Amino acid sequence: MNKNKLLVPLPWLLLDMAGILLVMWGGMEYFGWLHLWPAAWHYPYYELLLMMVGFFMMTPYQVMLLLAVMRKIQEVKKTQQ
C-alpha cells in the first residue's frame, strides 16, 4: 500500500466525497433517471439545490488541494535553484 501523505486533511476529503454524491444524486433526480427523494418532500428546484449544496461542499477541498500543490511546486523550484 502507498504510504504517501494526503495533501489535504481527511475531513475535507470526506466533505468533498459527500458533495460529489449530492451532485450525482441531484443530477439523477433532475433528469429523472432515479428517484430517491420521496414525492411528499418535493419542492421547487430541489434537484438544483442538491447539486448546489454538493458543489459548495466540494469547493473547500478543491481550493485547499490547489494551494497545497502550488506550495509543492514552489518547494521544487527552490530546490532546483
Side-chain angles (χ1 to χ4, degrees):
M1 184 175 181
N2 194 355
K3 297 285 184 178
N4 289 338
K5 185 179 174 188
L6 291 174
L7 294 176
V8 179
L10 186 61
W12 292 111
L13 177 61
L14 296 176
L15 189 68
D16 180 64
M17 292 168 52
I20 290 169
L21 292 175
L22 277 179
V23 170
M24 289 174 40
W25 180 15
M28 288 187 288
E29 290 275 346
Y30 182 78
F31 291 110
W33 297 331
L34 182 65
H35 294 287
L36 299 173
W37 196 270
W41 295 356
H42 282 203
Y43 53 88
Y45 306 111
Y46 74 95
E47 306 97 341
L48 298 176
L49 180 66
L50 285 171
M51 289 189 277
M52 291 306 297
V53 168
F55 281 126
F56 284 125
M57 288 173 67
M58 292 164 50
T59 303
Y61 174 78
Q62 300 296 329
V63 170
M64 292 180 74
L65 184 63
L66 177 67
L67 293 174
V69 168
M70 289 172 59
R71 279 193 299 271
K72 288 279 188 185
I73 290 171
Q74 289 299 323
E75 290 173 11
V76 170
K77 284 183 179 179
K78 284 182 183 177
T79 58
Q80 289 177 349
Q81 291 178 355

